[in-house]
Amino acid sequence: MVHRFHTPSNGLGLFWYSFQYGNIHIVQFSSEHDFTEGSEQRAWLEADLRSVDRTETPFVIVTAHRPMYNSEDYKSDYEVSLHLRSAIEPLLDAYSVDVFLAGHYHSYERTCRVLEEVCQEAVVSAQSPLVPHLQPGTVHITIGSAGASLDGAEWYDVNWHAFGSYEFGYLRVISTRDTMKLEYVHNVDGSIGDFVEITAQF
């Protein structure tokens, strides 16, 4: 695999790296390597996020194999997600990451804009519209429904689960200077099963 794919040279080969695509900064980090405080990868991730000029590149997406938020009832995988949250979620919050994309589960799931297991839409709406503020939290999307046989587990009863589906499909991203729209497209007929639109904060 190392000899088949060429990735940007700003990280560690195909394991972690980042690149610009239009007005989106995309960061690939490895959920299979050490990502805890003091690790090489976490230090790289923080430095990379800090380097993004959000006035020029208003949207940031972080991707990994394993999700940080997924509510399918698979206990061992759920425990891994808790470790990811503990180590990485503070960085997502500190640098206002818009979206976290993951796979691993063979399904589609989207969260609300979540931080520390709390949906942040209500937090924002409770603030005065006259006071400028950044929206806290990140939208987490699991999009692992493109090929292998689909999951079928029950969903945990959690407040941050916004939408889930066990249907084949893919994710389409459309961005302008002011908005980024992510659409879950059904493979069977091209219809839109779910979407979220994110407004630029900078």
Side-chain angles (χ1 to χ4, degrees):
M1 180 180 287
V2 172
H3 301 293
R4 293 183 183 178
F5 298 96
H6 299 282
T7 57
S9 59
N10 58 358
L12 184 65
L14 55 76
F15 299 114
W16 60 83
Y17 55 87
S18 68
F19 61 95
Q20 303 287 123
Y21 191 82
N23 62 351
I24 305 172
H25 184 73
I26 300 171
V27 184
Q28 172 66 47
F29 96 99
S30 173
S31 56
E32 314 310 304
H33 288 75
D34 187 1
F35 50 74
T36 58
E37 185 76 41
S39 68
E40 176 187 1
Q41 181 178 203
R42 192 183 188 284
W44 173 86
L45 176 60
E46 181 164 17
D48 184 84
L49 293 174
R50 187 190 306 118
S51 72
V52 181
D53 181 352
R54 299 295 289 271
T55 61
E56 295 293 326
T57 310
F59 301 109
V60 174
I61 296 175
V62 173
T63 73
H65 175 69
R66 294 176 187 265
M68 193 177 300
Y69 281 90
N70 186 291
S71 61
E72 288 183 60
D73 188 0
Y74 293 116
K75 188 175 187 297
S76 60
D77 286 327
Y78 190 76
E79 289 172 351
V80 172
S81 75
L82 299 180
H83 292 300
L84 275 166
R85 282 184 226 167
S86 176
I88 303 301
E89 190 172 37
L91 292 183
L92 304 187
D93 180 47
Y95 296 100
S96 300
V97 171
D98 298 294
V99 176
F100 186 96
L101 294 181
H104 189 66
Y105 294 85
H106 299 167
S107 64
Y108 171 84
E109 182 177 13
R110 175 178 58 83
T111 72
C112 59
R113 186 181 281 273
V114 62
L115 176 63
E116 297 178 350
E117 300 195 18
V118 177
C119 285
Q120 298 297 306
E121 281 84 351
V123 175
V124 172
S125 65
Q127 298 177 3
S128 167
L130 302 177
V131 179
H133 59 271
L134 297 178
Q135 282 189 291
T138 297
V139 175
H140 293 255
I141 297 176
T142 299
I143 181 68
S145 56
S149 58
L150 298 170
D151 295 341
E154 296 294 322
W155 304 97
Y156 288 122
D157 183 17
V158 289
N159 73 86
W160 37 262
H161 171 95
F163 183 84
S165 173
Y166 292 127
E167 297 178 79
F168 289 113
Y170 62 93
L171 195 69
R172 180 165 58 206
V173 180
I174 305 164
S175 71
T176 68
R177 176 61 186 84
D178 300 316
T179 62
M180 178 172 63
K181 188 174 185 179
L182 300 97
E183 300 176 333
Y184 168 51
V185 183
H186 288 145
N187 186 60
V188 66
D189 60 5
S191 63
I192 307 301
D194 181 54
F195 76 90
V196 61
E197 188 168 279
I198 294 171
T199 302
Q201 301 189 70
F202 296 84

